[in-house]
């Protein structure tokens, strides 16, 4: 496999990957093996069974994308800088089994942003009932709770303001993505505080991409629950713009939280270990760590595991070095 990078400092970063005929053939065989597992049939019967369910064009698309994902995953590990979001692939030549094949893979490197990694993070004050009977923290007299408030209302990009604590609390009853500010764990609190400390401009391409992924996840969740988007809005009494705004806020918060943790990892010169990866797999699928890793490898998504492990390592460092005892 040949990996060509023309500008290693470009943003977005892209690499052109060229496979020899034997490599294309080997990855095609792996794709068919996975298809056999999905269809619960012998590998020798995978093509025949698939032909009953897929058109020739759909089968070609499945094989081409599977090959690009597996080869792209390897290229990301070997030649690409740490990135946020998902990689994009684009075929550069026609795909034929047993023939050379070239494609481009593109990612968005972690943007260079400032982050305070010296000021200790004060622990949160305990909740107390407000005069109106609600559950709000006594944020005025505590530096730790001030950090929590900033985490909910201070964005990394000032041109994209997030909701205040009051707005977040008001949305809990009707937001498609309710936010339990008070119910955060210490890990979530520290991650959110780091997100609030992030200073700089997030590229629009990253923001747009994050929103698109969040919208897809939301629609998939609705479909899985068996209700339509319209039924959801009627049941929750929300307008389309309300849903869009809530999804945009949630996507931006997730994105900047990832950037903050990636920034900690890179600037502190941290490294991940096999044990770190195993711990992340155990958290994702307790008791099925090996099978999950195998599935991520088969689908060309080990890059996702690398991201999660990197951020878990960064968060562990922040918990140990920044959170006051």
């Amino acid at each position: 496999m040949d990996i060509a990078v023309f500008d290693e400092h470009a943003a977005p970063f892209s690499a052109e990957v060229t496979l020899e005929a034997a490599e294309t053939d080997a990855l095609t065989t792996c794709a068919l093996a996975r298809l056999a597992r999905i269809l619960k049939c012998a590998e020798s019967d995978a093509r025949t069974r698939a032909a009953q369910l897929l058109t020739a064009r759909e089968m070609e698309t499945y094989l081409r994308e599977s090959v690009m994902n597996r080869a792209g995953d390897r290229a990301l590990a070997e030649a690409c800088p740490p990135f946020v979001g998902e990689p994009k692939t684009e075929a550069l030549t026609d795909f034929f089994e047993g023939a050379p094949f070239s494609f481009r893979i593109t990612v968005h490197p972690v943007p260079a942003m400032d982050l305070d990694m010296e000021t200790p993070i004060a622990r949160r004050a305990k909740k107390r009932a407000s005069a109106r009977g609600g559950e709000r923290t006594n944020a005025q007299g505590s530096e730790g709770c001030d950090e929590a408030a900033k985490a909910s209302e201070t964005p990394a990009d000032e041109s994209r303001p997030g909701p205040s604590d009051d707005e977040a609390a008001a949305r809990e009853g009707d937001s498609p993505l309710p936010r339990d500010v008070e119910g955060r764990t210490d890990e979530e609190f520290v991650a959110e505080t780091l997100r609030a400390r992030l200073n700089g401009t997030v590229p629009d391409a990253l923001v747009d991409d994050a929103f698109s992924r969040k919208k897809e996840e939301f629609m998939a969740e609705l479909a899985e629950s068996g209700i339509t988007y319209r039924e959801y809005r009627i049941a929750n009494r929300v307008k389309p713009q309300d849903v869009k705004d809530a999804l945009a806020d949630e996507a931006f918060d997730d994105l900047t939280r990832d950037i903050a943790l990636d920034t900690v990892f890179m600037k502190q010169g941290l490294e991940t270990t096999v044990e770190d990866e195993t711990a992340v797999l155990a958290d994702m699928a307790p008791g099925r760590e090996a099978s999950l890793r195998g599935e991520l490898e088969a689908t060309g998504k080990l890059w996702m595991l690398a991201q999660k492990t990197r951020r878990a390592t960064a968060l562990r460092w922040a918990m140990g070095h920044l959170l006051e005892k």
Side-chain angles (χ1 to χ4, degrees):
M1 182 172 73
D2 179 67
I3 305 172
V5 177
F6 300 104
D7 185 355
E8 60 183 14
H9 300 295
F13 174 96
S14 64
E16 292 187 4
V17 181
T18 300
L19 301 174
E20 297 180 355
E23 292 173 313
T24 303
D25 212 26
L27 290 174
T28 299
T29 299
C30 291
L32 290 172
R34 179 170 182 268
L35 187 60
R37 292 195 297 273
I38 294 173
L39 297 176
K40 295 181 174 58
C41 67
E43 291 185 24
S44 58
D45 297 330
R47 288 183 185 275
T48 302
R49 290 287 304 276
Q52 300 171 357
L53 304 171
L54 305 174
T55 65
R57 185 180 184 84
E58 288 173 332
M59 185 63 176
E60 178 189 342
T61 298
Y62 167 76
L63 293 176
R64 181 180 68 250
E65 292 182 349
S66 296
V67 168
M68 288 194 294
N69 289 342
R70 286 290 296 271
D73 205 17
R74 177 180 162 189
L76 291 173
E78 293 184 9
C80 293
F83 63 94
V84 291
E86 299 181 1
K88 301 290 192 300
T89 55
E90 175 189 4
L92 299 177
T93 61
D94 291 335
F95 175 79
F96 297 102
E97 295 182 43
F101 177 56
S102 296
F103 65 94
R104 179 184 296 112
I105 187 163
T106 303
V107 297
H108 290 279
V110 178
M113 301 181 73
D114 295 325
L115 179 63
D116 177 5
M117 290 178 280
E118 297 181 359
T119 304
I121 298 175
R123 287 186 177 274
R124 298 167 293 174
K126 294 182 179 179
K127 290 187 293 185
R128 73 175 187 182
S130 71
R132 293 181 295 175
E135 289 188 340
R136 301 301 300 271
T137 58
N138 181 20
Q140 301 305 317
S142 167
E143 180 183 353
C145 283
D146 184 56
E147 288 273 344
K150 289 180 180 178
S152 292
E153 65 188 23
T154 305
D157 181 352
E158 294 181 358
S159 66
R160 296 176 179 274
S164 66
D165 282 349
D166 288 335
E167 291 171 335
R171 287 181 181 181
E172 286 191 7
D174 58 8
S175 170
L177 298 166
R179 302 177 183 190
D180 186 4
V181 175
E182 304 297 348
R184 292 182 182 133
T185 63
D186 284 345
E187 288 79 6
E188 292 169 335
F189 173 73
V190 170
E192 187 66 9
T193 302
L194 289 171
R195 185 195 76 79
R197 291 180 175 184
L198 202 61
N199 184 31
T201 301
V202 181
D204 287 339
L206 278 178
V207 176
D208 294 341
D209 186 56
F211 173 71
S212 295
R213 291 198 311 274
K214 182 63 66 174
K215 182 178 178 180
E216 289 177 3
E217 292 172 5
F218 176 64
M219 298 305 292
E221 289 173 3
L222 287 183
E224 196 171 314
S225 65
I227 64 174
T228 66
Y229 175 62
R230 181 179 177 80
E231 290 170 340
Y232 170 84
R233 288 196 298 104
I234 293 174
N236 290 274
R237 299 179 181 178
V238 290
K239 298 178 181 179
Q241 190 61 45
D242 296 330
V243 178
K244 182 178 179 181
D245 290 345
L247 290 172
D249 287 344
E250 185 78 5
F252 186 72
D253 286 356
D254 289 349
L255 172 62
T256 49
R257 193 178 301 111
D258 288 345
I259 292 174
L261 292 174
D262 284 341
T263 299
V264 169
F265 184 89
M266 296 165 65
K267 291 191 174 182
Q268 292 299 327
L270 304 177
E271 297 181 353
T272 61
T273 64
V274 174
E275 290 74 19
D276 294 333
E277 181 183 283
T278 301
V280 171
L281 288 168
D283 184 60
M284 295 171 66
R288 298 191 297 107
E289 295 87 350
S291 62
L292 175 58
R293 194 186 192 287
E295 180 62 16
L296 291 173
E297 182 177 8
T299 55
K301 290 187 176 180
L302 286 177
W303 58 264
M304 182 189 300
L305 177 59
Q307 284 183 339
K308 288 181 177 294
T309 305
R310 182 171 72 232
R311 290 161 190 162
T313 300
L315 181 56
R316 187 169 61 250
W317 178 91
M319 293 288 294
H321 290 78
L322 296 181
L323 184 63
E324 291 184 343
K325 306 302 182 184

